Amino acid sequence: MSVWDNEYPSSSEYAHYYAGYVANVPKANIIETLKEQMHDTYTFINSIPGDKAYHSYEKGKWTIKQIIGHLIETERVFSYRALAFSRRDPNPLPPMEQDDYVKYSNYNSRTISNLANEYLAVRIATTHLFQNMTKEMVSLKGIASNAEFTVRSLPFIIAGHELHHMQVIREKYL
């Protein structure tokens, strides 16, 4: 039995801001969810036509390439939080200002294939990190963005965040 079986986080395990993301994740083994998402999202990213990759549905909104980059860097940040908390790092972690991260990136100069490959590499690393945690590690807590999170909540936030943005791309961009 995996430490992730029947380990859906309660709303007290993460900042309220993330409730919608967590609620979108099917109540299943989160490791399996992350793996399934990896295959689906990688295939989807590679299917985006080149002329759509720079598309923004409204002035001031990110392009599809920027959204994909945002998914990659957000997953990295939340995986790092999980690593730090699971290793009992007592230091509070800073917030991630997503608009600044995208503003200072070069996602629009990259190919869809390049972004898809980076997404895949990050998701493989994320999955390895979480699937090798003990029950004790998963239950540990830490502070990030001035809020308390359990390690258990973080893969659900990653998965739900991705579900949200994939839905936005499908509904508003393609």
Side-chain angles (χ1 to χ4, degrees), residues 132-151:
N132 291 299
M133 288 187 173
T134 66
K135 190 165 187 72
E136 182 182 8
M137 289 172 175
V138 168
S139 69
L140 295 171
K141 298 176 184 177
I143 303 293
S145 301
N146 299 312
E148 187 175 75
F149 294 83
T150 61
V151 173

Side-chain angles (χ1 to χ4, degrees), residues 21 42 56 78 97 109 143 160:
Y21 295 151
Y42 179 76
S56 176
F78 278 83
E97 180 45 60
S109 69
I143 303 293

Side-chain angles (χ1 to χ4, degrees), residues 7-73:
E7 290 293 335
Y8 202 76
S10 72
S11 61
S12 66
E13 295 183 59
Y14 51 87
H16 176 73
Y17 173 84
Y18 299 101
Y21 295 151
V22 174
N24 284 335
V25 178
K27 289 189 178 185
N29 180 301
I30 192 62
I31 301 303
E32 295 308 312
T33 299
L34 291 171
K35 288 178 181 179
E36 288 172 20
Q37 257 189 345
M38 176 177 64
H39 295 290
D40 294 344
T41 300
Y42 179 76
T43 301
F44 176 71
I45 292 170
N46 276 310
S47 75
I48 296 170
D51 62 327
K52 293 283 189 178
Y54 294 103
H55 177 67
S56 176
Y57 72 90
E58 188 177 286
K59 185 179 178 179
K61 296 294 183 182
W62 295 339
T63 65
I64 291 175
K65 286 183 176 187
Q66 288 172 321
I67 293 172
I68 295 165
H70 167 69
L71 289 174
I72 293 166
E73 55 197 24

Side-chain angles (χ1 to χ4, degrees), residues 124-168:
I124 289 169
T126 297
T127 304
H128 280 284
L129 173 68
F130 286 117
Q131 74 186 7
N132 291 299
M133 288 187 173
T134 66
K135 190 165 187 72
E136 182 182 8
M137 289 172 175
V138 168
S139 69
L140 295 171
K141 298 176 184 177
I143 303 293
S145 301
N146 299 312
E148 187 175 75
F149 294 83
T150 61
V151 173
R152 174 185 12 265
S153 70
L154 297 170
F156 285 87
I157 293 169
I158 290 168
H161 178 255
E162 183 173 309
L163 287 169
H164 164 75
H165 282 291
M166 289 295 103
Q167 182 179 352
V168 168

Side-chain angles (χ1 to χ4, degrees), residues 75-94:
E75 184 160 332
R76 277 193 170 114
V77 167
F78 278 83
S79 292
Y80 174 71
R81 289 175 178 180
L83 176 67
F85 301 161
S86 71
R87 299 321 190 255
R88 301 174 188 264
D89 186 333
N91 299 301
L93 299 177

